[in-house]
Amino acid sequence: MANIGPTELIVVLVIALLVLGPKRLPAAGRSLGDGIREFKESISGRDRSDEAAIPDASVADEAPALSNQPDR
């Protein structure tokens, strides 16, 4: 497998900028990132709804502490 150095990466980005233009380049990067994220999720078997269903541990730990305080 070929190693991609900084020079090759800059050349690829300049070509992408010339082909897509400055207005469509951010949208193309965003869609590429979404595609990579979906691919990783499908490989690992996780889903975004799985992450939303798991409560944040810091919030869950604070809730009982607040209910034990006396009313003033």
Side-chain angles (χ1 to χ4, degrees):
M1 196 182 288
N3 293 332
I4 298 177
T7 307
E8 290 87 2
L9 187 61
I10 291 172
V11 169
V12 168
L13 291 174
V14 167
I15 292 172
L17 181 61
L18 292 174
V19 171
L20 295 175
K23 292 184 180 181
R24 291 189 350 203
L25 190 60
R30 194 173 305 116
S31 65
L32 179 66
D34 289 341
I36 291 172
R37 185 179 309 114
E38 284 184 32
F39 178 73
K40 286 182 179 180
E41 287 174 356
S42 66
I43 294 297
S44 67
R46 293 189 69 185
D47 196 13
R48 284 188 181 183
S49 60
D50 292 344
E51 293 174 1
I54 299 172
D56 188 17
S58 63
V59 174
D61 291 340
E62 292 175 9
L66 295 175
S67 63
N68 292 337
Q69 294 178 352
D71 293 333
R72 292 184 183 190

